[in-house]
Amino acid sequence: MSADWHYLPITELAVRIRRREVSPTTVVQVQLDRIAALDGALHSYALVLADAAMAQAETAEADIAADRYRGPLHGVPIAIKDLCWTDGVPTAAGMAIHRDFRPDRDATVVHRLKHAGAVLLGKLQLTEGAYSDHHPSVTAPVNPWHADYWPGISSSGAGVATAAGLCHGAIASDTGGSIRWPAAANGVTGLKPTWGRVSRHGVFALAPSLDHVGTMARSAADAGLLLRAIAGADTEDPTALHDPVPDDLGAVATNLNGVRIGIDPEWNGDGVDPDVQAVVFAAGEVLRTLGATFVEVRVPDALRAGSGLTDDWAANCAVEAAVAHAATYPARRDEYGPVLAAVIESGRALSGMDYQRILLRRAELRGRMVALLQTVDLLLTPVHPYAPLSLAAVRTLGEQPALIAGLQRYTCPFNLTGHPTITLPGGLSQQGLPIGIQLVAPHLGEAMLVRAGTAFQGATDWHRQHPVN
């Protein structure tokens, strides 16, 4: 195998495993050695499950040798955001109060990964309760491209581990941008599916009606393969959608003939850093050469600067977080970090009438976005308006409402509406750091997102670039 096999997409690694050109035990042992060598500086893992991973790899190897091959995840090393229950394994959700919690069953997504034969390397670090800041007792993950730059939140561990070659893909979650920001910051692909496409059973809640469980990987095809394994109806989660999951998630796509892509030049350009604008424009040109037709659209006024949309998202999230934490807050208030505690307090203080107004505005936004996405197949946007952010710029992020509002401009609307999105590496800043693009699809449009992402990545190599380590 090549020296940088850690960066092989799952689609390529799976072929080698199935042909028995490389064994799952070899793949996993070298992966564990790499984690031991690098993660002491990167802090992407909350917990490495070395013994369990090797045992799973040995089982996978025996099954494949006996012609019991389960599919393209069989024997592939995957990691899980430490928000997902794992039977008998500490699952802390980035919180001090849960550091000793050992669930007695797997989250549905974990169960389904195991059923697919994936090897679970460990649990990935995240912000406290999956909000915007780490608990003071937690060491934050480090961006492998440059230690002085932001790795994203809250699925930063997933982004860092995938980018640094410490896993071949990851399960993550997104309530307001938490798959998309780390994917963009670390130069990987992030797939946030339609709300309800993936069961939330056994996944610690931040704000249930905004929480999306999704995937991170090095390619759109890989992200689709992971989603295919974990998506679908679940009797344990009545909000999980019963719509069939397409079989072609992860399939090869070479063109976008007949695909209509919407773009709002004003929304995409207003206050957006020139490096980001250049990356989005260049991505649009690539998509056009692949056969896509561009349609100028106007996003709903609620998405424009000064509309108050991000305030609505924050209040909606705060109320739901207060409910989600009712068993431990305020009873164990002193064990919470300051940012998550402040969010819960604001949710507890919001009046019922004010909350209802937010819900009505949210319903209107959803309706308008559904209507817009009936006129196009995809919407192309930035992930956020900023060039890669330094740690100095985002320090005490929870105390910088203007910065947060900017970060959320292109992300939180699609948590409020539940639409699926894919984040793709689209270029580099002048400092040589990754910049992502975002595509948004109609509800249940994950197959279109994966098709567009795979075609784009077939024509570019941004997703194959990685940090030097």
Side-chain angles (χ1 to χ4, degrees):
M1 302 186 74
S2 63
D4 60 351
W5 72 269
H6 309 91
Y7 297 108
L8 279 179
I10 294 171
T11 50
E12 296 180 29
L13 179 62
V15 170
R16 299 187 186 198
I17 289 175
R18 185 173 189 179
R19 291 176 179 170
R20 304 180 199 175
E21 296 172 1
V22 63
S23 70
T25 53
T26 298
V27 171
V28 171
Q29 185 58 64
V30 177
Q31 191 79 90
L32 290 170
D33 291 345
R34 186 171 174 82
I35 293 169
L38 298 180
D39 204 52
L42 295 177
H43 307 289
S44 65
Y45 279 85
L47 179 67
V48 178
L49 302 172
D51 292 343
M54 283 305 300
Q56 291 169 16
E58 290 168 359
T59 300
E61 190 167 322
D63 284 346
I64 293 168
D67 293 324
R68 295 191 294 268
Y69 184 68
R70 299 189 189 184
L73 295 183
H74 204 173
V76 173
I78 303 298
I80 306 164
K81 186 173 179 177
D82 194 29
L83 201 68
C84 306
W85 290 7
T86 308
D87 187 9
V89 174
T91 302
M95 301 184 66
I97 62 173
H98 295 312
R99 63 165 54 100
D100 296 322
F101 172 60
R102 293 175 180 263
D104 60 3
R105 61 192 304 187
D106 286 328
T108 296
V109 293
V110 175
H111 170 77
R112 289 177 175 174
L113 280 177
K114 289 180 178 178
H115 180 74
V119 174
L120 308 184
L121 291 170
K123 312 296 290 295
L124 296 165
Q125 193 57 267
L126 67 152
T127 51
E128 185 181 18
Y131 197 64
S132 69
D133 199 12
H134 291 87
H135 189 274
S137 65
V138 169
T139 301
V142 174
N143 189 320
W145 289 81
H146 196 303
D148 292 337
Y149 279 77
W150 190 54
I153 50 172
S154 67
S155 304
S156 52
V160 170
T162 305
L166 306 185
C167 64
H168 285 271
I171 302 304
S173 68
D174 187 309
T175 305
S178 297
I179 286 175
R180 290 159 288 174
W181 296 326
N186 293 284
V188 299
T189 299
L191 182 55
K192 180 191 81 71
T194 306
W195 186 85
R197 178 64 103 175
V198 178
S199 170
R200 290 176 293 105
H201 169 68
V203 179
F204 274 101
L206 173 58
S209 79
L210 300 169
D211 294 345
H212 297 60
V213 179
T215 64
M216 279 195 208
R218 298 199 190 94
S219 72
D222 286 1
L225 284 176
L226 287 167
L227 179 62
R228 181 74 183 88
I230 63 174
D234 179 17
T235 56
E236 300 281 5
D237 177 4
T239 69
L241 300 176
H242 287 256
D243 303 78
V245 181
D247 289 331
D248 60 351
L249 286 176
V252 174
T254 58
N255 69 72
L256 296 178
N257 295 338
V259 175
R260 301 162 301 162
I261 300 179
I263 189 164
D264 183 330
E266 180 184 343
W267 191 50
N268 280 5
D270 184 23
V272 176
D273 182 272
D275 278 1
V276 176
Q277 291 191 48
V279 164
V280 174
F281 178 82
E285 291 302 298
V286 172
L287 295 168
R288 197 187 307 275
T289 64
L290 290 167
T293 300
F294 275 78
V295 179
E296 189 167 318
V297 298
R298 180 176 174 83
V299 299
D301 288 344
L303 273 62
R304 299 187 182 278
S307 69
L309 178 70
T310 56
D311 291 337
D312 276 2
W313 175 90
N316 193 154
C317 180
V319 171
E320 295 191 32
V323 174
H325 288 264
T328 53
Y329 193 99
R332 300 176 69 177
R333 164 67 180 84
D334 291 345
E335 298 172 75
Y336 278 71
V339 173
L340 183 57
V343 169
I344 294 172
E345 289 288 357
S346 67
R348 291 169 62 88
L350 194 70
S351 75
M353 289 186 66
D354 285 342
Y355 184 54
Q356 180 59 33
R357 292 185 184 101
I358 290 168
L359 296 183
L360 292 172
R361 288 192 292 268
R362 180 180 176 183
E364 180 180 344
L365 171 65
R366 186 180 190 279
R368 291 189 185 280
M369 190 55 66
V370 167
L372 185 152
L373 286 168
Q374 287 179 342
T375 67
V376 293
D377 301 299
L378 296 167
L379 183 67
L380 172 63
T381 82
V383 177
H384 59 67
Y386 310 120
L389 291 160
S390 69
L391 288 176
V394 299
R395 210 168 300 280
T396 63
L397 186 63
E399 301 170 15
Q400 299 185 69
L403 179 62
I404 292 177
L407 281 173
Q408 293 175 328
R409 185 198 303 180
Y410 303 105
T411 56
C412 77
F414 306 111
N415 295 88
L416 289 165
T417 66
H419 284 94
T421 75
I422 194 166
T423 299
L424 306 167
L428 299 176
S429 70
Q430 294 182 34
Q431 292 76 31
L433 298 168
I435 294 176
I437 64 167
Q438 176 177 236
L439 292 169
V440 185
H443 288 114
L444 304 176
E446 292 83 7
M448 177 58 75
L449 291 173
V450 173
R451 174 189 170 188
T454 302
F456 178 79
Q457 291 176 340
T460 64
D461 68 352
W462 300 115
H463 66 296
R464 291 188 179 272
Q465 298 192 26
H466 51 76
V468 177
N469 49 44

